[in-house]
Amino acid sequence: DIMGQFDALKSSLDDHIQGVNRYNPENVTELQQCVAAMASENRYDRDIALTTLKLYQLNPDKYDEATVRTILLKTLTVLPGADFALAKCLIDANRINSPELRLVLNLGSVLESCDFAVFWKLAKGEYTADDKFKSPAEIAKLIKPISGFEEAVRAFACRVISTTFQCIDRTQLVRLLGGVNEAKVTEYSGKFGWETREGGKVLYMANHDSTIKSRNIDERLSFGSVHEVLVHTPVQTVIE
């Protein structure tokens, strides 16, 4: 039962990675199997992903780059969550710049900057090679084993569009969503509450003017917090 593999592994791991046993090196094999199941079954568990990366830091001899690559790609499927940023922090500097991981990081920067037009060119093999993506065809190969990756990007794009546009031309919307068909546009419109206007040529998201509210930020620093900073700051920095 393919659909049961992730659940079975996760159930076992939930017992194994509690308390002091959390970073037991013996958990690595099971964690790697669970990460592979996350990719093939379109499932995700943040705790398992980050625990695996931490175990690699603590046990360099067990490091597996293919698993790390899968984790990074899976964290991109939950943008705008901070999981991708957290995952990067758990990869040692001497490993994170390998050609394979650098490719994933460059893809991540494209998605974090919401450059969906560039993403779809990469995913469809239509991107012209440059300094950032010298072999752009590799991106399509990277994301193919990650079940539901493109759909996750579309869902992220829809959230970004909903919060940044009041109205959007249907043609532009379709382009930002990777050339989806009419049925998909209708599906997303219903899910995100978009209205069709001007005979279907324009989609109305929301009147953001009515939701923008000014806020006064009153930040208060206690003497204790300032003292803590000064105590741990080199004298020359304070003088400057």
Side-chain angles (χ1 to χ4, degrees):
D1 180 2
I2 294 176
M3 286 306 294
Q5 187 180 10
F6 173 81
D7 293 320
L9 287 165
K10 181 178 172 358
S11 177
S12 173
L13 279 166
D14 283 346
D15 295 330
H16 292 171
I17 60 175
Q18 296 300 318
V20 293
N21 200 40
R22 182 177 185 82
Y23 298 121
N24 186 334
E26 293 181 7
N27 295 331
V28 169
T29 300
E30 204 170 357
L31 282 162
Q32 289 177 169
Q33 292 171 345
C34 199
V35 169
M38 285 198 296
S40 62
E41 298 176 22
N42 195 12
R43 304 291 294 278
Y44 181 70
D45 186 284
R46 178 190 197 183
D47 199 30
I48 286 170
L50 299 184
T51 298
T52 305
L53 294 177
K54 189 62 184 176
L55 263 171
Y56 286 152
Q57 277 192 320
L58 298 171
N59 304 275
D61 58 308
K62 296 186 180 294
Y63 181 84
D64 181 67
E65 185 171 77
T67 300
V68 173
R69 182 183 67 230
T70 298
I71 290 171
L72 285 173
L73 288 166
K74 283 300 298 182
T75 58
L76 286 175
T77 67
V78 293
L79 284 171
D83 299 32
F84 182 65
L86 290 170
K88 287 190 291 184
C89 293
L90 290 171
I91 303 171
D92 289 344
N94 64 325
R95 298 192 189 273
I96 201 164
N97 283 314
S98 73
E100 281 262 304
L101 296 189
R102 177 50 53 189
L103 198 60
V104 180
L105 296 183
N106 288 344
L107 176 65
S109 69
V110 167
L111 290 173
E112 286 182 313
S113 60
C114 301
D115 201 342
F116 300 112
V118 165
F119 170 77
W120 292 115
K121 283 183 180 179
L122 287 164
K124 295 177 180 182
E126 299 169 356
Y127 188 90
T128 303
D130 57 18
D131 288 341
K132 198 169 188 180
F133 296 101
K134 292 177 180 173
S135 301
E138 293 298 314
I139 293 294
K141 293 177 186 175
L142 269 181
I143 65 179
K144 188 176 181 181
I146 312 298
S147 177
F149 191 91
E150 291 188 3
E151 186 58 31
V153 171
R154 289 190 181 99
F156 173 44
C158 284
R159 287 193 286 272
V160 171
I161 289 164
S162 284
T163 55
T164 54
F165 286 85
Q166 290 193 162
C167 291
I168 187 170
D169 180 83
R170 180 181 287 265
T171 304
Q172 184 181 6
L173 174 67
V174 168
R175 184 170 63 87
L176 292 177
L177 297 181
V180 292
N181 57 28
E182 284 300 309
K184 273 291 184 184
V185 172
T186 302
E187 178 188 327
Y188 292 133
S189 296
K191 184 176 180 180
F192 291 93
W194 302 339
E195 297 175 22
T196 302
R197 296 187 176 181
E198 296 182 26
K201 292 180 180 179
V202 171
L203 278 92
Y204 175 76
M205 278 69 195
N207 181 7
H208 294 301
D209 291 340
S210 63
T211 60
I212 295 172
K213 296 177 181 177
S214 61
R215 293 178 60 190
N216 292 323
I217 300 173
D218 185 12
E219 186 173 16
R220 297 176 183 176
L221 296 173
S222 66
F223 174 77
S225 62
V226 175
H227 174 73
E228 190 72 20
V229 173
L230 292 174
V231 164
H232 292 93
T233 304
V235 174
Q236 64 269 28
T237 304
V238 176
I239 294 172
E240 288 169 8

